[in-house]
Amino acid sequence: MPRSTPALLLLSLATILHAQGPLRTTPPPPVSPVPVVASYPETPSGKLLKEVKEHSEVVAKVEHLTDLIGPRLTGSESLRRAQAWAMGELKRLGAENVHEEAYDFGLAWTRGVDSARLLTQNGLRFRVDQVAWTTGTPRPVTGELMLVDARNFDELKAFHGQLKGKILLRTNPNDKRPPLPRRAGGDMAAYQAEVAAMTQWLLDEGALATLQMSGRKNGLGFAAGGPGRDPKRVTIPSAVVPQEPYRMLLRLVARNEPVRLELNLGGAFSAKPVQAFNVIGEIRGTEKPGETVVIGAHLDSWDLGTGATDNATGSAVCLEVLRALQATGLKPKRTLRVILFSGEEQGLLGSRAYVEAHKTEMDAIQAVLIHDMGTGMVRGFDLQNRENCRGLMAQAIAPLNDLGVRELSLRVMNGTDHAPFDRAGVPAFAAIQDAVDYFEGTHHSQMDYPDHLQPDQLIQGAQAIAGTAWELLNLEGRLPHGPVARPAR
Ligand SMILES: [Zn+2]
């Protein structure tokens, strides 16, 4: 049956609207910052980069570590499962000498059910995340909220006799006082001793728990760790509250009416101290097997999300380098060693333990490369003020310049696992990466899921680590070792 003219008109109008309507309201897809490389040279590193680009398994590996294994707190069963999986992957990808190395960790800690509910005013339930390695509440406790914004023990003592049965708000974002003078010399032991004394005093005064405000905006929690890994240290039940509910609590307290809260923090310690482990595997060098290039990342994570960008990404990148070597059949002159650390989130414990256990072998390490800033593309490496490494590092990243890997900054970065090697005189560098959703989003928060991966950037990062490691494995020259002068902080 032929269509009537008005029907055809309507149809074509509908087609136009359909074609234009959704396009007007949908923002254009974000433009990737990763340069498009049309073809790779027929060199060994060109083959390696092409293999990573075309057959990368990094996203699948991140999804395995996060969706199937889950958050990987050091000392936990799930980190042990991740380590068993990683050892299997290393063997499957042709690594030799695959093994674990243990170090003493202290007590393990497991998150339980955390909840908070106002018993007065609006009765809101809101998110709380227990500070890891603090003691839980034996059952839901109820107490009146009180702002206790003491910044040291002297200020805290002014609250003597007022804290019994109270839940303390320990962050004051509206603080107008001039900052305290800086602690001389950054004495960590003295600081920890003062924190321990303050905690004992709070318990003696009868305080029930402490709450602190999350450092992240937009309803995000933030995972942090308390001192209770050491069985001798006392802790008080503590939790982090996202900014919006925390500021509400402060406003309610400021009205000078009682604000009562029911708080349940379900975390628990292991009965005994446990060991933690680093996972290691290597591809033996053909000409200088006694010299090594280490590539590394930390397999452990925090536990509010599943640790996708911190640091399943780096772990997957390291495994991807092995996969690409195996797929291309390339054999390096020096030995490539992959180390998947643990305890990074509790203070670089795994890398410190590795350096301590292998301190006589540090001179045999050509370089250490660490990938630990999420999904963002790699722009280069921080040289840790090792100006004398610039020449050879520039040579090492030259084949990656077209991929956007060009930056060799002298900046000293201490926040991840290259740092203990650096302090032992080894040229050890963290990749400079774009901070895609990282410090404002996924880092240590409940947002850390694979949804925030940018596959093209992560694959570029795997190319950057593979390509740089390959050059360092085969360069004639050796990067200069030794301590370097550091600018005063
Ligand atoms: Zn990390």
Side-chain angles (χ1 to χ4, degrees):
M1 199 161 61
R3 287 195 171 99
S4 67
T5 312
L8 272 175
L9 262 177
L10 271 178
L11 186 70
S12 44
L13 195 63
T15 311
I16 291 163
L17 284 175
H18 183 73
Q20 292 187 343
L23 284 179
R24 280 208 199 113
T25 53
T26 309
V31 179
S32 171
V34 177
V36 176
V37 173
S39 68
Y40 292 92
E42 279 297 311
T43 57
S45 80
K47 285 180 190 159
L48 206 55
L49 301 184
K50 187 166 187 276
E51 174 60 34
V52 173
K53 179 70 186 172
E54 292 181 353
H55 303 113
S56 162
E57 291 179 1
V58 275
V59 172
K61 284 192 166 51
V62 171
E63 288 179 357
H64 187 99
L65 275 170
T66 56
D67 292 346
L68 295 179
I69 295 176
R72 302 169 303 284
L73 216 52
T74 300
S76 69
E77 276 305 311
S78 65
L79 179 59
R80 294 300 290 141
R81 283 199 289 139
Q83 288 163 336
W85 173 83
M87 299 235 292
E89 284 297 291
L90 286 166
K91 287 176 191 163
R92 185 178 72 84
L93 297 170
E96 302 165 69
N97 193 18
V98 175
H99 66 284
E100 291 182 316
E101 295 186 6
Y103 58 94
D104 291 330
F105 179 70
L107 297 178
W109 186 89
T110 311
R111 187 172 300 283
V113 175
D114 300 330
S115 67
R117 176 169 69 111
L118 275 174
L119 301 175
T120 50
Q121 288 87 15
N122 68 13
L124 188 74
R125 290 178 185 274
F126 54 88
R127 181 182 185 101
V128 283
D129 294 302
Q130 185 175 355
V131 174
W133 284 279
T134 63
T135 184
T137 56
R139 69 199 96 76
V141 294
T142 59
E144 193 176 320
L145 288 176
M146 182 176 180
L147 174 63
V148 178
D149 56 355
R151 297 166 297 176
N152 58 26
F153 205 173
D154 285 338
E155 290 184 1
L156 189 60
K157 283 173 184 161
F159 292 90
H160 173 55
Q162 304 170 46
L163 304 183
K164 190 165 177 53
K166 300 279 171 50
I167 296 172
L168 316 183
L169 299 169
R170 293 288 283 123
T171 312
N172 182 2
N174 310 315
D175 195 351
K176 299 283 191 302
R177 294 171 293 185
L180 292 174
R182 277 184 86 94
R183 188 177 294 271
D187 186 342
M188 202 57 189
Y191 170 74
Q192 286 176 346
E194 181 170 9
V195 171
M198 288 166 73
T199 303
Q200 186 61 57
W201 190 85
L202 289 176
L203 292 168
D204 293 344
E205 290 280 315
L208 294 179
T210 70
L211 301 179
Q212 46 192 277
M213 188 175 82
S214 169
R216 294 282 183 269
K217 293 177 182 165
N218 300 321
L220 291 179
F222 186 77
R229 214 174 67 241
D230 177 351
K232 296 190 289 291
R233 292 289 293 273
V234 292
T235 65
I236 185 167
S238 300
V240 172
V241 182
Q243 293 195 1
E244 294 85 343
Y246 189 92
R247 289 179 193 275
M248 176 194 71
L249 298 179
L250 282 177
R251 288 192 298 274
L252 293 176
V253 166
R255 299 170 75 93
N256 289 320
E257 293 158 13
V259 185
R260 290 185 64 77
L261 186 73
E262 180 189 79
L263 181 67
N264 189 26
L265 303 175
F269 291 103
S270 60
K272 287 182 185 159
V274 300
Q275 288 197 305
F277 301 85
N278 295 320
V279 171
I280 296 153
E282 57 193 30
I283 303 288
R284 224 172 141 66
T286 52
E287 291 180 20
K288 297 171 179 169
E291 293 183 20
T292 57
V293 171
V294 172
I295 59 172
H298 64 92
L299 203 52
D300 67 299
S301 76
W302 283 111
D303 61 340
L304 302 188
T306 57
T309 67
D310 191 13
N311 182 220
T313 40
S315 304
V317 160
C318 291
L319 294 173
E320 178 63 15
V321 175
L322 285 195
R323 192 201 62 74
L325 278 176
Q326 191 191 43
T328 52
L330 288 165
K331 300 273 183 257
K333 290 180 184 169
R334 294 186 177 87
T335 294
L336 174 69
R337 183 171 300 148
V338 175
I339 311 181
L340 300 177
F341 299 102
S342 62
E344 194 272 352
E345 298 294 3
Q346 286 71 47
L348 317 183
L349 302 180
S351 46
R352 283 174 205 252
Y354 184 90
V355 168
E356 178 61 26
H358 296 267
K359 56 185 167 208
T360 59
E361 302 157 33
M362 288 297 120
D363 198 45
I365 300 178
Q366 157 87 320
V368 177
L369 304 176
I370 300 288
H371 186 286
D372 182 21
M373 231 183 70
T375 194
M377 70 175 281
V378 169
R379 301 280 181 180
F381 294 91
D382 284 321
L383 292 185
Q384 304 286 117
N385 214 25
R386 293 181 184 273
E387 179 61 39
N388 60 4
C389 290
R390 183 183 295 281
L392 287 178
M393 279 301 287
Q395 228 177 298
I397 66 170
L400 293 152
N401 289 169
D402 289 349
L403 267 168
V405 185
R406 296 165 172 274
E407 205 176 326
L408 293 174
S409 127
L410 284 180
R411 193 169 50 165
V412 178
M413 212 286 264
N414 288 318
T416 185
D417 289 313
H418 65 294
F421 292 89
D422 173 54
R423 286 194 280 269
V426 178
F429 310 126
I432 300 168
Q433 292 178 250
D434 284 6
V436 181
D437 280 343
Y438 197 63
F439 291 117
E440 295 300 321
T442 57
H443 180 243
H444 295 200
S445 85
Q446 75 269 28
M447 239 177 92
D448 199 3
Y449 284 85
D451 307 63
H452 300 281
L453 297 186
Q454 298 287 337
D456 61 328
Q457 297 197 50
L458 185 56
I459 290 167
Q460 184 270 4
Q463 289 178 299
I465 299 295
T468 310
W470 177 258
E471 296 301 322
L472 292 170
L473 285 161
N474 296 291
L475 279 175
E476 271 309 305
R478 248 171 73 79
L479 296 184
H481 284 54
V484 277
R486 290 290 147 78
R489 293 236 190 127

